């Protein structure tokens, strides 16, 4: 083993041996993404739900913080990338090009999908509210068509295995499949549906977001937790 490889392995072991603290709300899907990524990366993340000191976005959304030995990392995408960089599991891609593709998907999800999904899940009252809700759902359908087309000949969003892109998008869509979509959506966006079912059945994912795995079955999904998936723990034990 060369010096660089040995140093990299030592750094990875040190990171895995340390416990990082994630400050955020237990029902925040962005927090769920980070905990799931930690499961895949084999790193220990302890959830702290005391959010009194967290900063907020201009929209009033709390910004999660990951407290590490090196300092504090803010914002979900930055935290996901940092966790991906800590791991030998290649959840951030196996090549520079795949890493760029993962970055593209993370940016697309954060800027396009997350805002629409948050509106879809927000209850709107009255006739005017229904019209707005229908319009928002049409916006989501447009996004899903783009994703469905990409997945027509792909098992995962990037490469031949699960990456941060899959984790982020599946977590974003989790409550949509549970509370908004009906079974017809599985046939309308069949490639997204096939991909989604593959991701949510993964033990690393299900350890954080639990529930049934189909439209109308995940409404009682459990709150996120900071516990590692059994399979992840065994793989890295």
């Amino acid at each position: 083993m060369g010096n660089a490889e040995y140093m990299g392995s030592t750094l990875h072991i040190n990171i895995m041996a340390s416990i990082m603290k994630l400050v955020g709300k237990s029902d925040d899907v962005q927090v769920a993404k980070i905990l799931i990524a930690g499961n895949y990366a084999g790193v220990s993340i302890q959830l702290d739900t005391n959010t009194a000191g967290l900063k907020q976005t201009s929209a009033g959304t709390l910004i999660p913080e990951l407290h590490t030995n090196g300092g504090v990392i803010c914002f979900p995408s930055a935290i996901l990338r940092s966790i991906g960089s800590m791991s030998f599991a290649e959840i951030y891609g196996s090549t520079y090009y795949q890493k760029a593709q993962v970055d593209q998907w993370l940016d697309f999800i954060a800027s396009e999908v997350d805002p629409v999904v948050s509106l879809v899940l927000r209850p709107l009252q009255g006739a005017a509210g229904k019209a707005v809700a229908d319009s928002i759902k049409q916006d989501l359908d447009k996004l899903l068509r783009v994703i469905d087309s990409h997945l027509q000949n792909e098992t995962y969003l990037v490469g031949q295995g699960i990456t941060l892109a899959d984790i982020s998008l599946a977590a974003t869509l989790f409550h949509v499949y549970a509370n908004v979509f009906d079974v017809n959506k599985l046939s309308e966006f069949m490639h997204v549906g096939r991909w989604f079912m593959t991701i949510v059945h993964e033990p690393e994912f299900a350890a954080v977001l639990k529930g049934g795995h189909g439209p109308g079955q995940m409404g009682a999904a459990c709150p996120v937790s900071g516990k590692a998936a059994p399979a992840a723990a065994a793989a890295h034990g």
Side-chain angles (χ1 to χ4, degrees), residues 62-122:
L62 290 176
I63 302 172
E65 293 180 352
L66 183 67
H67 293 244
T68 74
N69 290 337
V72 179
I73 305 171
C74 301
F75 292 97
S77 291
I79 296 173
L80 287 175
R81 290 179 174 104
S82 69
I83 292 173
S85 299
M86 296 174 189
S87 171
F88 286 159
E90 297 185 349
I91 58 171
Y92 200 177
S94 58
T95 66
Y96 288 115
Y97 178 64
Q98 285 189 358
K99 291 181 191 299
Q101 288 182 304
V102 170
D103 282 336
Q104 287 179 166
W105 278 106
L106 290 178
D107 289 346
F108 171 73
I109 295 162
S111 63
E112 301 290 338
V113 186
D114 280 347
V116 172
V117 166
S118 67
L119 292 174
V120 167
L121 295 175
R122 184 181 304 168

Tab-separated table of all heavy atoms in Angstrom, residues 62-122:
chain	number	residue	atom	x	y	z
A	62	LEU	N	-35.357	26.514	8.345
A	62	LEU	CA	-34.162	26.318	9.152
A	62	LEU	C	-33.053	25.677	8.323
A	62	LEU	O	-33.305	24.798	7.495
A	62	LEU	CB	-34.472	25.433	10.365
A	62	LEU	CG	-35.363	26.049	11.453
A	62	LEU	CD1	-35.663	25.013	12.535
A	62	LEU	CD2	-34.699	27.274	12.076
A	63	ILE	N	-31.819	26.113	8.549
A	63	ILE	CA	-30.666	25.599	7.820
A	63	ILE	C	-29.925	24.592	8.704
A	63	ILE	O	-29.356	24.976	9.732
A	63	ILE	CB	-29.708	26.734	7.421
A	63	ILE	CG1	-30.441	27.768	6.557
A	63	ILE	CG2	-28.494	26.178	6.678
A	63	ILE	CD1	-29.632	29.020	6.287
A	64	PRO	N	-29.935	23.309	8.353
A	64	PRO	CA	-29.242	22.306	9.176
A	64	PRO	C	-27.749	22.591	9.277
A	64	PRO	O	-27.146	23.173	8.357
A	64	PRO	CB	-29.499	20.995	8.431
A	64	PRO	CG	-30.675	21.259	7.545
A	64	PRO	CD	-30.578	22.699	7.167
A	65	GLU	N	-27.149	22.159	10.376
A	65	GLU	CA	-25.714	22.301	10.589
A	65	GLU	C	-25.114	20.949	10.948
A	65	GLU	O	-25.654	20.226	11.779
A	65	GLU	CB	-25.417	23.283	11.728
A	65	GLU	CG	-25.794	24.714	11.453
A	65	GLU	CD	-25.466	25.634	12.625
A	65	GLU	OE1	-25.089	25.117	13.708
A	65	GLU	OE2	-25.589	26.865	12.455
A	66	LEU	N	-23.994	20.623	10.325
A	66	LEU	CA	-23.245	19.425	10.684
A	66	LEU	C	-21.985	19.851	11.426
A	66	LEU	O	-21.139	20.558	10.873
A	66	LEU	CB	-22.872	18.619	9.441
A	66	LEU	CG	-22.148	17.295	9.717
A	66	LEU	CD1	-23.081	16.302	10.416
A	66	LEU	CD2	-21.608	16.683	8.420
A	67	HIS	N	-21.884	19.440	12.684
A	67	HIS	CA	-20.733	19.795	13.509
A	67	HIS	C	-19.710	18.670	13.415
A	67	HIS	O	-19.971	17.532	13.818
A	67	HIS	CB	-21.173	20.016	14.960
A	67	HIS	CG	-22.054	21.212	15.133
A	67	HIS	ND1	-21.685	22.323	15.877
A	67	HIS	CD2	-23.288	21.498	14.641
A	67	HIS	CE1	-22.656	23.225	15.849
A	67	HIS	NE2	-23.640	22.741	15.097
A	68	THR	N	-18.531	18.983	12.866
A	68	THR	CA	-17.452	18.013	12.690
A	68	THR	C	-16.231	18.452	13.488
A	68	THR	O	-16.189	19.572	14.019
A	68	THR	CB	-17.072	17.888	11.207
A	68	THR	OG1	-16.340	19.069	10.813
A	68	THR	CG2	-18.311	17.766	10.324
A	69	ASN	N	-15.217	17.588	13.518
A	69	ASN	CA	-13.972	17.946	14.203
A	69	ASN	C	-13.304	19.154	13.561
A	69	ASN	O	-12.601	19.913	14.219
A	69	ASN	CB	-13.005	16.756	14.197
A	69	ASN	CG	-13.470	15.627	15.101
A	69	ASN	OD1	-14.239	15.850	16.032
A	69	ASN	ND2	-13.019	14.408	14.828
A	70	GLY	N	-13.533	19.323	12.250
A	70	GLY	CA	-12.911	20.434	11.541
A	70	GLY	C	-13.691	21.725	11.581
A	70	GLY	O	-13.175	22.779	11.205
A	71	GLY	N	-14.954	21.669	12.006
A	71	GLY	CA	-15.780	22.864	12.044
A	71	GLY	C	-17.219	22.550	11.675
A	71	GLY	O	-17.611	21.391	11.565
A	72	VAL	N	-17.991	23.611	11.465
A	72	VAL	CA	-19.425	23.472	11.190
A	72	VAL	C	-19.686	23.655	9.694
A	72	VAL	O	-19.192	24.605	9.081
A	72	VAL	CB	-20.240	24.503	11.995
A	72	VAL	CG1	-21.733	24.370	11.672
A	72	VAL	CG2	-19.996	24.326	13.487
A	73	ILE	N	-20.475	22.741	9.121
A	73	ILE	CA	-20.872	22.817	7.718
A	73	ILE	C	-22.361	23.091	7.663
A	73	ILE	O	-23.148	22.418	8.330
A	73	ILE	CB	-20.551	21.504	6.983
A	73	ILE	CG1	-19.078	21.151	7.136
A	73	ILE	CG2	-20.918	21.612	5.505
A	73	ILE	CD1	-18.734	19.762	6.634
A	74	CYS	N	-22.759	24.089	6.873
A	74	CYS	CA	-24.170	24.490	6.770
A	74	CYS	C	-24.709	24.194	5.369
A	74	CYS	O	-23.947	24.076	4.416
A	74	CYS	CB	-24.328	25.980	7.073
A	74	CYS	SG	-23.752	26.473	8.706
A	75	PHE	N	-26.027	24.118	5.278
A	75	PHE	CA	-26.796	23.900	4.056
A	75	PHE	C	-26.744	22.424	3.630
A	75	PHE	O	-25.676	21.799	3.604
A	75	PHE	CB	-26.338	24.801	2.913
A	75	PHE	CG	-26.640	26.251	3.147
A	75	PHE	CD1	-25.662	27.093	3.659
A	75	PHE	CD2	-27.902	26.774	2.891
A	75	PHE	CE1	-25.940	28.437	3.896
A	75	PHE	CE2	-28.182	28.110	3.119
A	75	PHE	CZ	-27.207	28.943	3.628
A	76	PRO	N	-27.906	21.867	3.285
A	76	PRO	CA	-28.019	20.436	2.999
A	76	PRO	C	-27.093	19.920	1.907
A	76	PRO	O	-26.439	18.890	2.082
A	76	PRO	CB	-29.493	20.280	2.600
A	76	PRO	CG	-30.194	21.392	3.297
A	76	PRO	CD	-29.229	22.539	3.288
A	77	SER	N	-27.029	20.613	0.772
A	77	SER	CA	-26.212	20.108	-0.340
A	77	SER	C	-24.733	20.077	0.024
A	77	SER	O	-24.012	19.136	-0.328
A	77	SER	CB	-26.437	20.952	-1.595
A	77	SER	OG	-27.738	20.763	-2.103
A	78	ALA	N	-24.262	21.117	0.727
A	78	ALA	CA	-22.857	21.148	1.152
A	78	ALA	C	-22.566	20.016	2.126
A	78	ALA	O	-21.502	19.374	2.063
A	78	ALA	CB	-22.532	22.499	1.784
A	79	ILE	N	-23.502	19.755	3.019
A	79	ILE	CA	-23.327	18.663	3.986
A	79	ILE	C	-23.316	17.320	3.264
A	79	ILE	O	-22.479	16.454	3.556
A	79	ILE	CB	-24.434	18.704	5.053
A	79	ILE	CG1	-24.324	19.995	5.884
A	79	ILE	CG2	-24.341	17.483	5.964
A	79	ILE	CD1	-25.476	20.203	6.849
A	80	LEU	N	-24.224	17.124	2.316
A	80	LEU	CA	-24.257	15.872	1.558
A	80	LEU	C	-22.937	15.645	0.827
A	80	LEU	O	-22.383	14.536	0.838
A	80	LEU	CB	-25.409	15.887	0.560
A	80	LEU	CG	-26.823	15.728	1.126
A	80	LEU	CD1	-27.860	15.897	0.017
A	80	LEU	CD2	-26.991	14.361	1.793
A	81	ARG	N	-22.428	16.692	0.191
A	81	ARG	CA	-21.173	16.555	-0.549
A	81	ARG	C	-20.013	16.220	0.389
A	81	ARG	O	-19.136	15.422	0.041
A	81	ARG	CB	-20.881	17.842	-1.322
A	81	ARG	CG	-21.834	18.085	-2.498
A	81	ARG	CD	-21.502	19.386	-3.213
A	81	ARG	NE	-22.293	19.554	-4.402
A	81	ARG	CZ	-23.342	20.393	-4.517
A	81	ARG	NH1	-23.708	21.123	-3.468
A	81	ARG	NH2	-24.012	20.486	-5.640
A	82	SER	N	-20.012	16.842	1.559
A	82	SER	CA	-18.925	16.569	2.502
A	82	SER	C	-18.977	15.127	2.986
A	82	SER	O	-17.942	14.465	3.100
A	82	SER	CB	-18.994	17.537	3.689
A	82	SER	OG	-20.121	17.278	4.511
A	83	ILE	N	-20.179	14.608	3.244
A	83	ILE	CA	-20.314	13.214	3.663
A	83	ILE	C	-19.900	12.277	2.536
A	83	ILE	O	-19.215	11.271	2.754
A	83	ILE	CB	-21.760	12.923	4.111
A	83	ILE	CG1	-22.074	13.681	5.405
A	83	ILE	CG2	-21.983	11.420	4.308
A	83	ILE	CD1	-23.523	13.593	5.841
A	84	GLY	N	-20.305	12.612	1.316
A	84	GLY	CA	-19.903	11.798	0.172
A	84	GLY	C	-18.401	11.754	-0.001
A	84	GLY	O	-17.834	10.720	-0.374
A	85	SER	N	-17.726	12.866	0.294
A	85	SER	CA	-16.275	12.935	0.157
A	85	SER	C	-15.560	12.152	1.250
A	85	SER	O	-14.388	11.790	1.103
A	85	SER	CB	-15.815	14.397	0.205
A	85	SER	OG	-16.391	15.134	-0.860
A	86	MET	N	-16.252	11.887	2.366
A	86	MET	CA	-15.646	11.145	3.472
A	86	MET	C	-15.628	9.640	3.218
A	86	MET	O	-14.934	8.903	3.903
A	86	MET	CB	-16.442	11.391	4.769
A	86	MET	CG	-16.436	12.805	5.273
A	86	MET	SD	-17.566	12.942	6.693
A	86	MET	CE	-17.599	14.728	6.919
A	87	SER	N	-16.406	9.186	2.258
A	87	SER	CA	-16.687	7.757	2.126
A	87	SER	C	-15.919	7.105	0.993
A	87	SER	O	-15.602	7.736	-0.011
A	87	SER	CB	-18.192	7.568	1.898
A	87	SER	OG	-18.491	6.245	1.571
A	88	PHE	N	-15.619	5.811	1.167
A	88	PHE	CA	-15.083	4.996	0.084
A	88	PHE	C	-16.216	4.293	-0.675
A	88	PHE	O	-15.965	3.488	-1.559
A	88	PHE	CB	-14.126	3.937	0.632
A	88	PHE	CG	-12.799	4.493	1.077
A	88	PHE	CD1	-12.013	3.782	1.967
A	88	PHE	CD2	-12.339	5.708	0.614
A	88	PHE	CE1	-10.778	4.275	2.374
A	88	PHE	CE2	-11.121	6.219	1.011
A	88	PHE	CZ	-10.334	5.504	1.902
A	89	ALA	N	-17.449	4.567	-0.306
A	89	ALA	CA	-18.601	3.870	-0.896
A	89	ALA	C	-18.995	4.423	-2.257
A	89	ALA	O	-19.920	3.933	-2.882
A	89	ALA	CB	-19.796	3.953	0.056
A	90	GLU	N	-18.328	5.473	-2.717
A	90	GLU	CA	-18.560	6.071	-4.033
A	90	GLU	C	-19.976	6.615	-4.195
A	90	GLU	O	-20.516	6.615	-5.300
A	90	GLU	CB	-18.233	5.068	-5.152
A	90	GLU	CG	-16.763	4.655	-5.174
A	90	GLU	CD	-16.397	3.751	-6.338
A	90	GLU	OE1	-17.315	3.260	-7.023
A	90	GLU	OE2	-15.199	3.551	-6.556
A	91	ILE	N	-20.584	7.073	-3.095
A	91	ILE	CA	-21.909	7.684	-3.220
A	91	ILE	C	-21.819	9.085	-3.824
A	91	ILE	O	-22.842	9.691	-4.131
A	91	ILE	CB	-22.638	7.744	-1.862
A	91	ILE	CG1	-21.833	8.522	-0.821
A	91	ILE	CG2	-22.972	6.348	-1.375
A	91	ILE	CD1	-22.591	8.786	0.464
A	92	TYR	N	-20.588	9.585	-3.997
A	92	TYR	CA	-20.391	10.864	-4.676
A	92	TYR	C	-19.849	10.633	-6.089
A	92	TYR	O	-19.317	11.526	-6.711
A	92	TYR	CB	-19.425	11.732	-3.863
A	92	TYR	CG	-19.473	13.222	-4.154
A	92	TYR	CD1	-18.691	14.106	-3.436
A	92	TYR	CD2	-20.291	13.756	-5.154
A	92	TYR	CE1	-18.713	15.469	-3.683
A	92	TYR	CE2	-20.327	15.104	-5.418
A	92	TYR	CZ	-19.522	15.960	-4.683
A	92	TYR	OH	-19.546	17.318	-4.943
A	93	GLY	N	-19.994	9.393	-6.575
A	93	GLY	CA	-19.500	9.052	-7.900
A	93	GLY	C	-18.107	8.473	-7.833
A	93	GLY	O	-17.359	8.707	-6.883
A	94	SER	N	-17.728	7.705	-8.863
A	94	SER	CA	-16.424	7.035	-8.881
A	94	SER	C	-15.410	7.738	-9.764
A	94	SER	O	-14.232	7.385	-9.764
A	94	SER	CB	-16.588	5.585	-9.350
A	94	SER	OG	-17.172	5.538	-10.643
A	95	THR	N	-15.842	8.733	-10.542
A	95	THR	CA	-14.940	9.502	-11.410
A	95	THR	C	-15.268	10.988	-11.252
A	95	THR	O	-16.310	11.354	-10.705
A	95	THR	CB	-15.113	9.112	-12.885
A	95	THR	OG1	-16.429	9.513	-13.330
A	95	THR	CG2	-14.948	7.608	-13.085
A	96	TYR	N	-14.362	11.821	-11.771
A	96	TYR	CA	-14.609	13.259	-11.711
A	96	TYR	C	-15.881	13.625	-12.481
A	96	TYR	O	-16.646	14.504	-12.066
A	96	TYR	CB	-13.418	14.043	-12.265
A	96	TYR	CG	-12.216	14.035	-11.361
A	96	TYR	CD1	-11.033	13.426	-11.743
A	96	TYR	CD2	-12.273	14.635	-10.098
A	96	TYR	CE1	-9.926	13.406	-10.898
A	96	TYR	CE2	-11.177	14.624	-9.248
A	96	TYR	CZ	-10.010	14.011	-9.660
A	96	TYR	OH	-8.932	13.997	-8.819
A	97	TYR	N	-16.095	12.943	-13.609
A	97	TYR	CA	-17.287	13.224	-14.407
A	97	TYR	C	-18.551	12.836	-13.649
A	97	TYR	O	-19.537	13.582	-13.638
A	97	TYR	CB	-17.220	12.466	-15.734
A	97	TYR	CG	-18.447	12.667	-16.601
A	97	TYR	CD1	-18.761	13.927	-17.107
A	97	TYR	CD2	-19.298	11.601	-16.902
A	97	TYR	CE1	-19.896	14.126	-17.887
A	97	TYR	CE2	-20.426	11.787	-17.687
A	97	TYR	CZ	-20.719	13.049	-18.173
A	97	TYR	OH	-21.839	13.239	-18.932
A	98	GLN	N	-18.534	11.671	-12.987
A	98	GLN	CA	-19.701	11.262	-12.207
A	98	GLN	C	-19.948	12.211	-11.033
A	98	GLN	O	-21.101	12.499	-10.707
A	98	GLN	CB	-19.528	9.834	-11.701
A	98	GLN	CG	-19.723	8.780	-12.773
A	98	GLN	CD	-19.758	7.373	-12.213
A	98	GLN	OE1	-19.600	7.163	-11.013
A	98	GLN	NE2	-19.972	6.396	-13.084
A	99	LYS	N	-18.882	12.700	-10.413
A	99	LYS	CA	-19.050	13.675	-9.323
A	99	LYS	C	-19.746	14.926	-9.857
A	99	LYS	O	-20.613	15.503	-9.188
A	99	LYS	CB	-17.699	14.035	-8.717
A	99	LYS	CG	-17.046	12.914	-7.930
A	99	LYS	CD	-15.721	13.356	-7.336
A	99	LYS	CE	-14.940	12.188	-6.782
A	99	LYS	NZ	-15.638	11.475	-5.706
A	100	ALA	N	-19.358	15.362	-11.053
A	100	ALA	CA	-20.008	16.532	-11.667
A	100	ALA	C	-21.477	16.238	-11.962
A	100	ALA	O	-22.342	17.113	-11.784
A	100	ALA	CB	-19.276	16.917	-12.946
A	101	GLN	N	-21.768	15.011	-12.411
A	101	GLN	CA	-23.158	14.641	-12.664
A	101	GLN	C	-23.974	14.642	-11.363
A	101	GLN	O	-25.120	15.102	-11.343
A	101	GLN	CB	-23.221	13.250	-13.310
A	101	GLN	CG	-22.751	13.206	-14.754
A	101	GLN	CD	-22.885	11.816	-15.336
A	101	GLN	OE1	-22.344	10.840	-14.803
A	101	GLN	NE2	-23.616	11.708	-16.436
A	102	VAL	N	-23.382	14.117	-10.296
A	102	VAL	CA	-24.068	14.141	-9.000
A	102	VAL	C	-24.333	15.579	-8.582
A	102	VAL	O	-25.434	15.915	-8.119
A	102	VAL	CB	-23.232	13.408	-7.921
A	102	VAL	CG1	-23.826	13.634	-6.533
A	102	VAL	CG2	-23.156	11.919	-8.226
A	103	ASP	N	-23.346	16.459	-8.778
A	103	ASP	CA	-23.527	17.879	-8.445
A	103	ASP	C	-24.677	18.491	-9.250
A	103	ASP	O	-25.478	19.270	-8.717
A	103	ASP	CB	-22.239	18.662	-8.721
A	103	ASP	CG	-21.195	18.466	-7.641
A	103	ASP	OD1	-21.563	18.123	-6.496
A	103	ASP	OD2	-19.996	18.663	-7.929
A	104	GLN	N	-24.734	18.141	-10.534
A	104	GLN	CA	-25.823	18.654	-11.383
A	104	GLN	C	-27.180	18.245	-10.833
A	104	GLN	O	-28.108	19.066	-10.756
A	104	GLN	CB	-25.664	18.124	-12.812
A	104	GLN	CG	-24.540	18.768	-13.589
A	104	GLN	CD	-24.406	18.209	-14.990
A	104	GLN	OE1	-23.730	18.776	-15.842
A	104	GLN	NE2	-25.043	17.076	-15.265
A	105	TRP	N	-27.304	16.970	-10.464
A	105	TRP	CA	-28.573	16.477	-9.931
A	105	TRP	C	-28.906	17.138	-8.599
A	105	TRP	O	-30.059	17.523	-8.357
A	105	TRP	CB	-28.545	14.959	-9.788
A	105	TRP	CG	-28.838	14.227	-11.057
A	105	TRP	CD1	-27.958	13.554	-11.848
A	105	TRP	CD2	-30.112	14.119	-11.717
A	105	TRP	NE1	-28.589	13.023	-12.941
A	105	TRP	CE2	-29.919	13.353	-12.887
A	105	TRP	CE3	-31.386	14.586	-11.421
A	105	TRP	CZ2	-30.956	13.050	-13.756
A	105	TRP	CZ3	-32.431	14.281	-12.293
A	105	TRP	CH2	-32.219	13.525	-13.443
A	106	LEU	N	-27.915	17.283	-7.724
A	106	LEU	CA	-28.175	17.925	-6.427
A	106	LEU	C	-28.646	19.362	-6.616
A	106	LEU	O	-29.563	19.827	-5.915
A	106	LEU	CB	-26.914	17.890	-5.555
A	106	LEU	CG	-26.494	16.520	-5.021
A	106	LEU	CD1	-25.206	16.644	-4.205
A	106	LEU	CD2	-27.601	15.888	-4.171
A	107	ASP	N	-28.036	20.076	-7.566
A	107	ASP	CA	-28.463	21.450	-7.853
A	107	ASP	C	-29.876	21.470	-8.433
A	107	ASP	O	-30.693	22.332	-8.078
A	107	ASP	CB	-27.487	22.119	-8.823
A	107	ASP	CG	-26.142	22.437	-8.185
A	107	ASP	OD1	-26.058	22.390	-6.938
A	107	ASP	OD2	-25.172	22.725	-8.925
A	108	PHE	N	-30.150	20.539	-9.343
A	108	PHE	CA	-31.476	20.452	-9.954
A	108	PHE	C	-32.545	20.155	-8.903
A	108	PHE	O	-33.615	20.775	-8.885
A	108	PHE	CB	-31.468	19.363	-11.026
A	108	PHE	CG	-32.816	19.018	-11.601
A	108	PHE	CD1	-33.454	19.889	-12.474
A	108	PHE	CD2	-33.450	17.823	-11.276
A	108	PHE	CE1	-34.701	19.576	-13.015
A	108	PHE	CE2	-34.688	17.503	-11.803
A	108	PHE	CZ	-35.318	18.379	-12.677
A	109	ILE	N	-32.252	19.220	-8.012
A	109	ILE	CA	-33.213	18.852	-6.968
A	109	ILE	C	-33.464	20.028	-6.032
A	109	ILE	O	-34.608	20.345	-5.700
A	109	ILE	CB	-32.701	17.621	-6.183
A	109	ILE	CG1	-32.649	16.398	-7.104
A	109	ILE	CG2	-33.599	17.338	-4.976
A	109	ILE	CD1	-31.781	15.275	-6.570
A	110	ALA	N	-32.382	20.694	-5.609
A	110	ALA	CA	-32.512	21.803	-4.654
A	110	ALA	C	-33.222	23.008	-5.258
A	110	ALA	O	-34.032	23.663	-4.590
A	110	ALA	CB	-31.137	22.208	-4.135
A	111	SER	N	-32.948	23.293	-6.522
A	111	SER	CA	-33.492	24.508	-7.134
A	111	SER	C	-34.836	24.302	-7.823
A	111	SER	O	-35.644	25.232	-7.910
A	111	SER	CB	-32.497	25.086	-8.143
A	111	SER	OG	-32.281	24.182	-9.217
A	112	GLU	N	-35.095	23.089	-8.309
A	112	GLU	CA	-36.309	22.841	-9.086
A	112	GLU	C	-37.313	21.928	-8.371
A	112	GLU	O	-38.503	22.255	-8.283
A	112	GLU	CB	-35.938	22.224	-10.442
A	112	GLU	CG	-35.013	23.076	-11.291
A	112	GLU	CD	-35.688	24.330	-11.819
A	112	GLU	OE1	-36.926	24.358	-11.900
A	112	GLU	OE2	-34.962	25.285	-12.151
A	113	VAL	N	-36.844	20.794	-7.883
A	113	VAL	CA	-37.767	19.783	-7.351
A	113	VAL	C	-38.204	20.110	-5.919
A	113	VAL	O	-39.400	20.080	-5.608
A	113	VAL	CB	-37.153	18.371	-7.415
A	113	VAL	CG1	-38.189	17.326	-6.995
A	113	VAL	CG2	-36.642	18.072	-8.816
A	114	ASP	N	-37.255	20.404	-5.041
A	114	ASP	CA	-37.597	20.674	-3.638
A	114	ASP	C	-38.640	21.780	-3.477
A	114	ASP	O	-39.609	21.605	-2.724
A	114	ASP	CB	-36.338	21.037	-2.844
A	114	ASP	CG	-35.531	19.806	-2.447
A	114	ASP	OD1	-36.058	18.688	-2.558
A	114	ASP	OD2	-34.373	19.967	-2.016
A	115	PRO	N	-38.487	22.936	-4.160
A	115	PRO	CA	-39.485	23.996	-3.983
A	115	PRO	C	-40.883	23.593	-4.436
A	115	PRO	O	-41.876	23.937	-3.783
A	115	PRO	CB	-38.941	25.149	-4.846
A	115	PRO	CG	-37.477	24.880	-4.960
A	115	PRO	CD	-37.352	23.392	-5.000
A	116	VAL	N	-40.970	22.848	-5.542
A	116	VAL	CA	-42.280	22.427	-6.050
A	116	VAL	C	-42.906	21.414	-5.103
A	116	VAL	O	-44.101	21.497	-4.779
A	116	VAL	CB	-42.153	21.842	-7.477
A	116	VAL	CG1	-43.480	21.229	-7.923
A	116	VAL	CG2	-41.729	22.929	-8.448
A	117	VAL	N	-42.110	20.459	-4.634
A	117	VAL	CA	-42.638	19.442	-3.724
A	117	VAL	C	-43.130	20.071	-2.422
A	117	VAL	O	-44.172	19.677	-1.884
A	117	VAL	CB	-41.574	18.360	-3.434
A	117	VAL	CG1	-41.981	17.492	-2.251
A	117	VAL	CG2	-41.367	17.498	-4.670
A	118	SER	N	-42.393	21.053	-1.908
A	118	SER	CA	-42.826	21.700	-0.667
A	118	SER	C	-44.178	22.376	-0.845
A	118	SER	O	-45.005	22.394	0.078
A	118	SER	CB	-41.782	22.722	-0.209
A	118	SER	OG	-41.699	23.822	-1.101
A	119	LEU	N	-44.442	22.903	-2.040
A	119	LEU	CA	-45.739	23.526	-2.318
A	119	LEU	C	-46.829	22.467	-2.513
A	119	LEU	O	-47.967	22.651	-2.090
A	119	LEU	CB	-45.642	24.404	-3.567
A	119	LEU	CG	-44.778	25.669	-3.434
A	119	LEU	CD1	-44.658	26.362	-4.790
A	119	LEU	CD2	-45.373	26.623	-2.410
A	120	VAL	N	-46.469	21.361	-3.142
A	120	VAL	CA	-47.432	20.270	-3.349
A	120	VAL	C	-47.917	19.723	-2.013
A	120	VAL	O	-49.100	19.397	-1.850
A	120	VAL	CB	-46.797	19.142	-4.191
A	120	VAL	CG1	-47.655	17.887	-4.149
A	120	VAL	CG2	-46.608	19.601	-5.632
A	121	LEU	N	-47.024	19.649	-1.052
A	121	LEU	CA	-47.369	19.073	0.250
A	121	LEU	C	-48.052	20.065	1.174
A	121	LEU	O	-48.541	19.691	2.238
A	121	LEU	CB	-46.099	18.541	0.937
A	121	LEU	CG	-45.412	17.364	0.241
A	121	LEU	CD1	-44.116	17.011	0.951
A	121	LEU	CD2	-46.335	16.151	0.183
A	122	ARG	N	-48.096	21.328	0.774
A	122	ARG	CA	-48.721	22.353	1.615
A	122	ARG	C	-50.224	22.394	1.349
A	122	ARG	O	-50.661	22.587	0.209
A	122	ARG	CB	-48.103	23.718	1.311
A	122	ARG	CG	-48.597	24.846	2.196
A	122	ARG	CD	-47.940	26.153	1.792
A	122	ARG	NE	-46.490	26.054	1.836
A	122	ARG	CZ	-45.670	26.958	1.329
A	122	ARG	NH1	-46.168	28.027	0.696
A	122	ARG	NH2	-44.365	26.814	1.420
